Amino acid sequence: VLASFELLLKADLSILCKVTEIKVDVLFIVFFPPFPQVFPSQDPLDRADFNAVEYINTLFPTEQSLANIDEVVNKIRLKIRRLDDNIRTVVRGQTNVGQDGRQVKDITRDIKQLDHAKRHLTTSITTLNHLHMLAGGVDSLEAMTRRRQYGEVANLLQGVVNVLEHFNKYMGIPQIRQLSERVKAAQNELGQQILADFEEAFPSQGTKRPGGPSNVLRDACLVANVLDPRIKQEIIKKFIKQHLSEYLVLFQENQDVAWLDKIDRRYAWIKRQLVDYEEKYGRMFPQEWCMTERIAVEFCHVTRTELSKIMRTRAKEIEVKLLLFAIQRTTNFEGLLAKRFSGCTLGDGTVKKPEVPPPSTNPFLEDEAGTETDEIVIEKSDAEKPKKPKAPDNPFHGIVSKCFEPHLYVYIESQDKNLSELIDRFVADFKAQGPPKPNVDEGGAVLPSCADLFVYYKKCMVQCSQLSTGEPMIALTTIFQKYLREYAWKILSGNLPKTTSSSSGLTITSLLKEKEGSEVAKFTLEELCLICSILSTAEYCLATTQQLEEKLKEKVDASLVERINLTGETDTFSIVISNSIQLLVQDLDAACDPALTAMSKMQWQNVEHVGDQSPYVTSVILHIKQNVPIIRDNLASTRKYFTQFCIKFANSFIPKFINHLFKCKPISMVGAEQLLLDTHSLKMVLLDLPSIGSQVVRKAPASYTRIVVKGMTRAEMILKVVMAPHEPPVVFVDNYIKLLADCSTDTFQKILDMKGLKRSEQSSMLDLFRQRLPAPPSGAESSGSLSLSAPTPEQESSRIRKLEKLIKKRL
């Protein structure tokens, strides 16, 4: 490889040798000193660990091989001579390296100078050619300009301008500067000449020249593309102004057709004009000028200005139906423009493109594309609806309809009035039709009025977002908030049944006998269903209001998003839900009160034997079985609120039961056993309360179960303490602290009252209780702590075992 490379290098240097008369070997040595041995040698003499003895033994492995010793010696001597010759050649070659290198350097410098000379010569020739082209082009340009040969000028002018760019760095030369000035003068003359031609063809005063455009004007537009952009803009401006001059005359402010009720005529006029333009002048202007779109856009700007002026003048005549009619026709026209044009002439920031909202799962905020609520509906009018809604990516949206925004207060006031009438109608319908009929099979029905309200809200929101996404949307949001609150108070809270109670003339017998004619004040089936229906409606309104807030934020301008907040309204519906649940709890709670009162007034010290559950327990269970299935079935669609009802009832009933338990005094041992049996029965019923009377048994929520177990276990512990003997006092006090873990002296006092102890005995017990509170004895169990499973007295142990067997049998 190295040898081949060396041959190639020498061949390349042979040309240089002919010029310098230096040998190739010398040049090669100057540019490329001898290469070192880069490949590993197979010769043993080149090895770093050369061993002469081993090498000789390799050459003469046997005695017979010594016969060739002379031949081997001769080969080694020949190799030595070759190495000496190579070394001598290299040393001699290095003698004149410096001198030859300098000679070569001088030669390469001369070659570099020749190269520069060649480059400059080429540049000069090219420049002279360009200069010749420029001079000839300027002469031709001036001549063609005088003859109005715009077709030839268009191509020639672009070429002259391109050539002139090569002479920007030579503008210091007078001749070049003179040519540049002639080009500029020709451009100015062309601009003025073309403008004059257009003025002659389309005079600002008078009528348009009949017939289509001439080829001269068509070519003139091509020239204008090359001239200063201001020439093109001036042509466009004058042509469009002349084209719309008739429009300004026909629709002057004092003309009858200028008012909003005839706004259709404006859009019909521009449609005819655009068709006329396409037929007569469509090929006169270059396609990239987008003249048709420019005419339409300028018409929109003029129309918006004219409509703004006339609406300011006649603001008192604007009615909501007229305003919505004008907006409807205008948005339809803007949609038509979006289908026909791309909007490329609008420029940045001229028209805001509306954002495309994401889909929503809420039925109130379902996809709006293609629904009739997207169209602007004129209330209380038979006016025609727009055929199609505006496209979500319409770049022309608002280009005309923006002028209606200052007058949208008329629309907002109208919606305020309509919503007020709608709420009044809801109130009247509810009074006339009465509450919804009980329908247990389908669960609590949502009031149909709330769906009507939100459907109307959706329509208003879509309408307003088509009209404006600015301050009017904030004003509409305020109206929404107002009537959400009114609906919550007038329709929902205002129709909740009122609680009535009468406690006069009640007897224990009448309280325990649940039959027709009973004096216990309870909600009827219809009232319970109404409460559940209002609760379900409030939940629907709460969820839908949250979705409404999100949708309003999507519709409104980004700078106004922070001003939309419906938290107060969702809180209002939450209050309605809470009040509804509280009514249901109070009704069931109040129905159980007579039974608990009867329990506290029974003579528990006279109970002689433990039987089945007491009548008051049966009464409580009856009320629960009457109310809970109705409530559960009517709240089937809102299980979480049924769970809240269960939890609130447990939190209300259990403390009340314990308070009435403390009123049962004095209590005999048998009476305590009966109360313990009753308490356990109530505990089982409460644990089963969420699914009581249901064919489908569901496990009660863990949160509810914990509340019931904790509360009723405390009631059981109270009775177990009451059943325990008070002698010895220390054991009784320690057992109380262990079972109830209640450090209140009031609770301990109530326990002593239930046991029927005398005041003197209670005093010593209370003193002992206060002494034992700081540090309960750790060895109470070893000293015979009193408990129901292993009581100290045999009599108490026997009775407790009998009671446990009876409870198991009942279960």
Short mmCIF file of all heavy atoms in Angstrom, two decimals, residues 22 102 104 124 163 278 283 337 347 363 395 417 435 443 466 503 556 613 645 668 728 755 770 790:
data_model
loop_
_atom_site.label_atom_id
_atom_site.label_comp_id
_atom_site.label_asym_id
_atom_site.label_seq_id
_atom_site.Cartn_x
_atom_site.Cartn_y
_atom_site.Cartn_z
N ILE A 22 13.52 20.06 -11.00
CA ILE A 22 14.01 19.35 -9.80
C ILE A 22 13.56 17.91 -9.92
O ILE A 22 12.46 17.62 -10.39
CB ILE A 22 13.44 19.99 -8.52
CG1 ILE A 22 13.88 21.46 -8.45
CG2 ILE A 22 13.88 19.25 -7.29
CD1 ILE A 22 13.30 22.20 -7.25
N ARG A 102 12.75 25.99 -0.13
CA ARG A 102 12.57 27.42 -0.41
C ARG A 102 12.26 27.66 -1.87
O ARG A 102 11.45 28.50 -2.23
CB ARG A 102 13.84 28.18 0.00
CG ARG A 102 13.98 28.36 1.51
CD ARG A 102 15.11 29.31 1.84
NE ARG A 102 16.40 28.80 1.42
CZ ARG A 102 17.18 28.01 2.16
NH1 ARG A 102 16.79 27.63 3.37
NH2 ARG A 102 18.35 27.58 1.70
N VAL A 104 10.78 25.56 -3.93
CA VAL A 104 9.39 25.17 -4.14
C VAL A 104 8.43 26.22 -3.61
O VAL A 104 7.37 26.52 -4.22
CB VAL A 104 9.12 23.80 -3.49
CG1 VAL A 104 7.61 23.45 -3.54
CG2 VAL A 104 9.93 22.73 -4.15
N SER A 124 -13.79 40.64 -13.52
CA SER A 124 -13.83 41.84 -14.36
C SER A 124 -14.66 41.60 -15.61
O SER A 124 -15.48 42.44 -16.01
CB SER A 124 -12.41 42.28 -14.73
OG SER A 124 -11.66 42.58 -13.57
N VAL A 163 -29.76 42.87 -12.01
CA VAL A 163 -28.39 43.18 -12.43
C VAL A 163 -27.84 44.35 -11.62
O VAL A 163 -26.67 44.37 -11.22
CB VAL A 163 -28.36 43.48 -13.95
CG1 VAL A 163 -26.97 44.01 -14.36
CG2 VAL A 163 -28.69 42.22 -14.74
N GLU A 278 -65.88 39.43 -10.92
CA GLU A 278 -65.26 38.22 -11.47
C GLU A 278 -65.45 38.13 -12.98
O GLU A 278 -64.55 37.70 -13.71
CB GLU A 278 -65.86 36.98 -10.79
CG GLU A 278 -65.50 36.81 -9.32
CD GLU A 278 -64.06 36.39 -9.13
OE1 GLU A 278 -63.40 36.09 -10.14
OE2 GLU A 278 -63.59 36.37 -7.98
N ARG A 283 -59.62 38.67 -14.50
CA ARG A 283 -58.30 38.33 -15.05
C ARG A 283 -57.40 39.54 -15.22
O ARG A 283 -56.28 39.41 -15.73
CB ARG A 283 -58.49 37.64 -16.40
CG ARG A 283 -59.02 36.22 -16.28
CD ARG A 283 -59.11 35.53 -17.63
NE ARG A 283 -60.22 36.08 -18.43
CZ ARG A 283 -60.51 35.65 -19.64
NH1 ARG A 283 -59.79 34.69 -20.22
NH2 ARG A 283 -61.53 36.18 -20.30
N LEU A 337 -68.47 34.22 3.77
CA LEU A 337 -67.13 34.69 3.41
C LEU A 337 -66.08 33.64 3.75
O LEU A 337 -65.12 33.43 3.00
CB LEU A 337 -66.82 35.99 4.15
CG LEU A 337 -67.64 37.23 3.77
CD1 LEU A 337 -67.21 38.43 4.60
CD2 LEU A 337 -67.49 37.54 2.28
N GLY A 347 -54.59 40.04 7.61
CA GLY A 347 -53.44 40.49 8.40
C GLY A 347 -53.55 39.99 9.83
O GLY A 347 -54.57 39.48 10.29
N PRO A 363 -74.84 16.65 29.51
CA PRO A 363 -75.84 16.83 28.46
C PRO A 363 -76.12 18.30 28.17
O PRO A 363 -76.47 18.67 27.06
CB PRO A 363 -77.08 16.13 29.03
CG PRO A 363 -76.83 16.04 30.50
CD PRO A 363 -75.36 15.92 30.67
N PRO A 395 -62.26 32.87 9.99
CA PRO A 395 -61.40 34.03 10.22
C PRO A 395 -62.14 35.35 10.06
O PRO A 395 -61.63 36.39 10.47
CB PRO A 395 -60.32 33.87 9.14
CG PRO A 395 -60.98 33.10 8.05
CD PRO A 395 -61.95 32.18 8.72
N LYS A 417 -85.07 39.82 31.44
CA LYS A 417 -86.53 39.82 31.51
C LYS A 417 -87.09 38.43 31.21
O LYS A 417 -88.00 37.96 31.91
CB LYS A 417 -87.07 40.84 30.51
CG LYS A 417 -88.59 40.93 30.47
CD LYS A 417 -89.05 41.94 29.44
CE LYS A 417 -90.57 41.99 29.35
NZ LYS A 417 -91.03 42.96 28.34
N PRO A 435 -96.63 19.00 43.58
CA PRO A 435 -95.36 18.27 43.57
C PRO A 435 -95.43 17.07 42.65
O PRO A 435 -96.52 16.59 42.32
CB PRO A 435 -95.19 17.84 45.04
CG PRO A 435 -96.57 17.82 45.60
CD PRO A 435 -97.32 18.91 44.87
N GLY A 443 -87.13 5.95 40.96
CA GLY A 443 -86.31 6.79 41.82
C GLY A 443 -86.79 8.23 41.80
O GLY A 443 -87.74 8.59 41.10
N GLN A 466 -71.57 33.99 20.02
CA GLN A 466 -71.54 34.35 18.61
C GLN A 466 -71.51 35.86 18.43
O GLN A 466 -70.92 36.37 17.48
CB GLN A 466 -72.77 33.78 17.89
CG GLN A 466 -72.74 32.27 17.74
CD GLN A 466 -74.00 31.75 17.08
OE1 GLN A 466 -75.01 32.45 17.03
NE2 GLN A 466 -73.95 30.53 16.58
N SER A 503 -96.90 18.43 70.38
CA SER A 503 -96.60 17.51 71.48
C SER A 503 -97.67 17.54 72.56
O SER A 503 -97.54 16.88 73.58
CB SER A 503 -95.24 17.87 72.10
OG SER A 503 -95.26 19.22 72.54
N VAL A 556 -65.30 32.75 26.77
CA VAL A 556 -64.95 34.16 26.99
C VAL A 556 -63.50 34.41 26.61
O VAL A 556 -62.68 33.49 26.51
CB VAL A 556 -65.21 34.53 28.46
CG1 VAL A 556 -64.08 34.03 29.35
CG2 VAL A 556 -65.41 36.03 28.63
N GLN A 613 -88.01 -7.85 72.59
CA GLN A 613 -87.72 -6.42 72.55
C GLN A 613 -88.93 -5.62 72.98
O GLN A 613 -90.08 -6.01 72.76
CB GLN A 613 -87.30 -6.00 71.14
CG GLN A 613 -88.37 -6.18 70.08
CD GLN A 613 -87.85 -5.96 68.67
OE1 GLN A 613 -86.68 -6.12 68.43
NE2 GLN A 613 -88.76 -5.60 67.76
N PHE A 645 -77.41 10.78 54.38
CA PHE A 645 -78.62 10.73 55.19
C PHE A 645 -78.46 9.70 56.31
O PHE A 645 -78.79 9.97 57.47
CB PHE A 645 -79.81 10.38 54.31
CG PHE A 645 -80.99 9.83 55.07
CD1 PHE A 645 -81.81 10.66 55.81
CD2 PHE A 645 -81.26 8.46 55.06
CE1 PHE A 645 -82.89 10.14 56.53
CE2 PHE A 645 -82.33 7.94 55.77
CZ PHE A 645 -83.14 8.78 56.51
N SER A 668 -83.48 -1.64 87.69
CA SER A 668 -83.13 -2.88 88.38
C SER A 668 -82.20 -3.70 87.50
O SER A 668 -81.97 -3.37 86.33
CB SER A 668 -84.41 -3.66 88.70
OG SER A 668 -85.02 -4.09 87.49
N PRO A 728 -67.19 -4.05 95.57
CA PRO A 728 -66.53 -2.93 96.29
C PRO A 728 -66.44 -1.69 95.39
O PRO A 728 -66.29 -1.81 94.17
CB PRO A 728 -65.14 -3.49 96.61
CG PRO A 728 -64.91 -4.52 95.57
CD PRO A 728 -66.24 -5.11 95.23
N LYS A 755 -78.36 3.60 88.70
CA LYS A 755 -78.29 2.47 89.63
C LYS A 755 -79.18 2.69 90.85
O LYS A 755 -79.44 1.75 91.61
CB LYS A 755 -76.84 2.25 90.08
CG LYS A 755 -75.96 1.70 88.96
CD LYS A 755 -74.55 1.44 89.46
CE LYS A 755 -74.53 0.30 90.48
NZ LYS A 755 -74.93 -0.99 89.90
N ARG A 770 -62.94 10.67 91.49
CA ARG A 770 -61.98 11.75 91.22
C ARG A 770 -60.56 11.32 91.62
O ARG A 770 -59.58 11.73 90.98
CB ARG A 770 -62.38 13.00 91.99
CG ARG A 770 -63.72 13.60 91.52
CD ARG A 770 -63.99 14.93 92.21
NE ARG A 770 -65.28 15.47 91.84
CZ ARG A 770 -66.39 15.32 92.57
NH1 ARG A 770 -66.34 14.62 93.72
NH2 ARG A 770 -67.52 15.85 92.16
N ALA A 790 -66.85 -12.35 83.49
CA ALA A 790 -66.41 -13.08 84.69
C ALA A 790 -66.69 -12.23 85.92
O ALA A 790 -65.78 -11.69 86.54
CB ALA A 790 -64.92 -13.40 84.60
#
